[in-house]
Amino acid sequence: MTLASLRRLRVFVGIVDAGSVSAGARVLGITQSTASTHLRQLEVEVGSLLIDRTGRRFVPTEAGAVLLAHARSMIAIADEAVDDLAKMSLRPLTGALVVGATTTTTEGSFLPAALRAFTAAFPEVTLDLRVENSTTLLRNVFDGDVGVAVLADEVDSPALTVIPLAPEDQIVIVSSAHPLAGSSVDPRAMRGSVVLLREHGSATRKFQESLLEKWRIPSVRTWTLASTGAIVAAVAEGLGSSCLPRVACQDALTSSRIAELSLDPPPPARPVCVIHRNDRHLSRVEEHFLALVADGIPPTAQLRKGATP
C-alpha cells in the first residue's frame, strides 16, 4: 500500500462517514472534484465499484463495505505508526556513535570539535572512535562495520556519499638541528637523505610517495614508520625528513623540536571528507551526527553522491 493509496483510503472513509462526496470533501478540507478523483482512482486500483450512487442512495457496495473495514484498520495502524515515530523523535538520543577516522583527521581541529559538540548535545550517546589507515577504513565502510568515516583522501565511488571538509595543510619537516632547517631549498640539496613514510595502505603514504616522484631527490632512501606520532619523534631525533599535516606537527614545531623546510614544489593541501554508503540505512545517532557535520562545513561545499574529487 503506497502513501497515495492510503490518502485515497482516507478520502473514501471520509466520504462514507459524511454521507456524500461534497460533505466528505468539506470535512477533509479538500475540493469536491479532488475527493471525486481520489474515489475514482481508488475504484480503479481495487477494480470494483465502492459506492452505490443509484438514485438517492449513497452507501458502500458489497466490495466497498469489505474495503471500508480494512481501510479503517490500515488508517488506524498508519496513524499509530506516525504517533510512535513522533514520540521517538522526542525521546533523548541514545545508543552508540561509531565513527571511523584516519590518524591525521583525529589530530586536526574538525573531528575533535565535531565529537565534542555532538557529545555535548547528546550526552546519553556513547562514542566508539575507530582509527585506521585509509585502506582499512574504506573496507570497513563497504563491509558495513563502520557507518560513517572521516578520512584525508580523495574518494571516488558511486556507492558512497561524500561530504567535503576543509583540506589539511601539509608541510615538510626536519630536525631543528638539520643544517637546512627553516630554509627554502631545491630538492637536489636533499641528496642521499632519508625520508620517513607511513605504512602501506595509508593515504598519507600514497601522498608522500607522490611528492617524492615530483621532487626526484637524488639517491633518496625511505624508511617506514607505522604512525604519524612516531614519524614526528623520529624527525626530531634527526633520523630523517618527512611531509605531514601541519596540525600533526604543531606541538613539535612550537617546542622547536622540529623545523619546517620549503621544497619546490610545495606540498599541496590534502582533501578531507566524511563518507557513508548510499544504500546503508543510517541510525538516528548517525543521522544526527551527519546533520551536525553538514551544519559545520563551508557553504561552498556541497553534498555529493558518487563524487569525483
Side-chain angles (χ1 to χ4, degrees):
M1 179 66 69
T2 65
L3 290 177
S5 297
L6 185 62
R7 171 64 171 162
R8 292 168 195 150
L9 288 177
R10 289 185 185 278
V11 172
F12 170 56
V13 172
I15 289 172
V16 172
D17 288 346
S20 71
V21 174
S22 58
R26 285 194 299 272
V27 171
L28 295 167
I30 58 178
T31 65
Q32 183 173 338
S33 62
T34 299
S36 295
T37 298
H38 279 303
L39 180 57
R40 287 195 302 271
Q41 289 172 336
L42 183 59
E43 289 178 328
V44 171
E45 186 174 351
V46 300
S48 297
L49 189 68
L50 300 175
I51 299 291
D52 184 355
R53 304 174 181 84
T54 305
R56 304 184 65 170
R57 289 168 56 83
F58 192 90
V59 294
T61 63
E62 183 179 359
V66 171
L67 181 61
L68 183 63
H70 289 293
R72 294 190 192 281
S73 296
M74 286 187 283
I75 291 171
I77 291 171
D79 289 343
E80 184 180 357
V82 171
D83 289 343
D84 287 346
L85 288 172
K87 292 174 184 176
M88 185 179 72
S89 67
L90 296 175
R91 293 201 305 265
L93 193 64
T94 59
L97 173 63
V98 180
V99 178
T102 52
T103 302
T104 58
T105 61
T106 64
E107 297 166 333
S109 60
F110 165 76
L111 185 56
L115 294 176
R116 182 177 65 248
F118 185 83
T119 54
F122 307 107
E124 295 187 38
V125 174
T126 58
L127 176 63
D128 183 357
L129 180 62
R130 302 180 184 181
V131 182
E132 305 283 357
N133 64 41
S134 295
T135 300
T136 301
L137 193 56
L138 280 169
R139 183 171 62 248
N140 289 344
V141 170
F142 279 115
D143 289 346
D145 297 330
V146 172
V148 178
V150 184
L151 66 163
D153 200 2
E154 292 186 343
V155 178
D156 180 10
S157 171
L160 297 176
T161 291
V162 181
I163 306 175
L165 302 174
E168 287 183 346
D169 185 27
Q170 308 290 311
I171 60 171
V172 179
I173 56 172
V174 294
S175 167
S176 56
H178 195 285
L180 299 177
S183 61
S184 181
V185 300
D186 185 284
R188 289 174 293 185
M190 301 289 289
R191 174 185 291 273
S193 62
V194 174
V195 175
L196 306 178
L197 307 178
R198 282 281 303 278
E199 76 281 4
H200 291 282
S202 163
T204 298
R205 184 186 182 96
K206 291 189 296 183
F207 179 77
Q208 292 167 331
E209 290 175 335
S210 69
L211 288 174
L212 287 179
E213 290 181 6
K214 294 177 182 178
W215 287 331
R216 298 187 179 279
I217 300 172
S219 305
V220 67
R221 294 177 292 160
T222 59
W223 294 352
T224 299
L225 284 80
S227 75
T228 303
I231 290 178
V232 173
V235 169
E237 293 298 322
L239 295 180
S241 63
S242 191
C243 179
L244 292 173
R246 181 180 294 277
V247 67
C249 309
Q250 196 57 58
D251 288 345
L253 286 169
T254 301
S255 62
S256 298
R257 294 170 53 224
I258 61 173
E260 192 170 348
L261 179 66
S262 297
L263 292 182
D264 185 29
R270 288 176 59 195
V272 180
C273 60
V274 177
I275 64 171
H276 65 84
R277 264 175 42 185
N278 298 335
D279 63 351
R280 183 182 183 277
H281 174 72
L282 296 172
S283 67
R284 283 185 67 216
V285 172
E286 291 167 340
E287 288 178 344
H288 279 75
F289 178 72
L290 288 174
L292 181 147
V293 169
D295 287 342
I297 64 177
T300 54
Q302 300 296 318
L303 181 70
R304 304 171 298 165
K305 285 192 175 182
T308 303

